Amino acid sequence: MRLFFLSLVIFTWSLAAPAQTDDQPVVLVVGDSISAAYGMELAESWPSLLQARLHEHGLAYRVFNSSITGDTTQSGLARLPRLLQLNPPAVVIIELGGNDGLRGLPLDVTEANLRAMIEHSQSSGARVVLAGIQIPPNYGKTYTEKFNQMYRQLAEIEGVELVPFILDGVALDPQLMQEDGIHPRAEAQPILLDNVWPAVQAALR
């Protein structure tokens, strides 16, 4: 199990193009399967497309994608300090919480984990982008509504950039979703990038 976990981490850390250098400021992506190229080639994922767009705009940042399929906010919080130490980022994009919601985990725990991740990132000197997700009403209307509102409330309280719904324009289109109805296809990745891009631009100013 440990070897499998390490292989996943090494796989997701291998995003940087050969032309990049280690002294470039880092954009760190800490996410789950939505950002981990689930069901596609790594180069097709929105974090890889983000690297290309930064280059197109003449922005010399190195995207470091540390996203792991199945990750929760708890596991993301546990590994964040090491990530901040290994690759001190200029910007941290937090794309977590979907697996918490699908498992019906307590909202106060998910919110506390996300808040801690934001505050750890800010304490390291990084600016933060919080990528929100929405969940189906499996656990009732109240849980679903509170979950979907959580990201906006956190962004307002903590003063971070917000992506209201990273799967906006994708989640309800079967042609853009994989057969499981949860993960976006490679064809959807440019839309995910467009959803994230305004918040990233704001964080880079």
Side-chain angles (χ1 to χ4, degrees):
M1 179 63 72
R2 179 176 175 81
L3 179 60
F4 175 72
F5 174 81
L6 288 173
S7 66
L8 276 174
V9 174
I10 292 169
F11 172 75
T12 56
W13 285 2
S14 62
L15 183 63
Q20 295 173 320
T21 60
D22 289 341
D23 60 351
Q24 289 178 331
V26 170
V27 176
L28 173 64
V29 183
V30 186
D32 52 30
S33 56
I34 300 299
S35 303
Y38 181 90
M40 68 193 73
E41 297 295 326
L42 185 62
E44 296 175 310
S45 68
W46 75 260
S48 292
L49 300 181
L50 173 61
Q51 181 68 78
R53 184 167 293 185
L54 289 167
H55 178 74
E56 291 167 4
H57 283 74
L59 298 169
Y61 288 84
R62 176 169 61 95
V63 177
F64 189 89
N65 185 11
S66 181
S67 299
I68 298 176
T69 296
D71 224 9
T72 62
T73 58
Q74 185 65 48
S75 52
L77 175 59
R79 60 193 180 89
L80 180 62
R82 181 64 172 163
L83 292 171
L84 296 175
Q85 180 183 24
L86 286 173
N87 286 271
V91 174
V92 177
I93 303 173
I94 301 171
E95 182 276 300
L96 287 171
N99 290 312
D100 297 49
L102 291 175
R103 298 174 189 180
L105 300 180
L107 288 176
D108 57 342
V109 174
T110 299
E111 183 176 354
N113 290 338
L114 289 171
R115 178 178 288 109
M117 292 186 73
I118 291 170
E119 293 176 353
H120 283 319
S121 300
Q122 291 173 328
S123 295
S124 76
R127 297 177 294 280
V128 176
V129 173
L130 182 63
I133 193 70
Q134 296 179 10
I135 59 171
N138 298 43
Y139 298 99
K141 181 179 179 180
T142 299
Y143 183 92
T144 302
E145 289 182 350
K146 288 184 176 180
F147 181 93
N148 294 342
Q149 293 167 1
M150 174 179 61
Y151 293 93
R152 187 175 301 278
Q153 292 171 349
L154 269 174
E156 291 175 355
I157 293 170
E158 299 294 333
V160 302
E161 301 299 331
L162 175 69
V163 181
F165 181 32
I166 193 170
L167 294 180
D168 189 31
V170 172
L172 299 181
D173 187 341
Q175 293 185 340
L176 295 176
M177 298 296 289
Q178 297 183 37
E179 292 182 359
D180 59 15
I182 297 174
H183 299 98
R185 297 182 185 272
E187 293 81 359
Q189 300 303 302
I191 301 175
L192 270 63
L193 175 60
D194 287 341
N195 291 340
V196 172
W197 181 242
V200 172
Q201 282 186 302
L204 293 175
R205 289 182 189 140

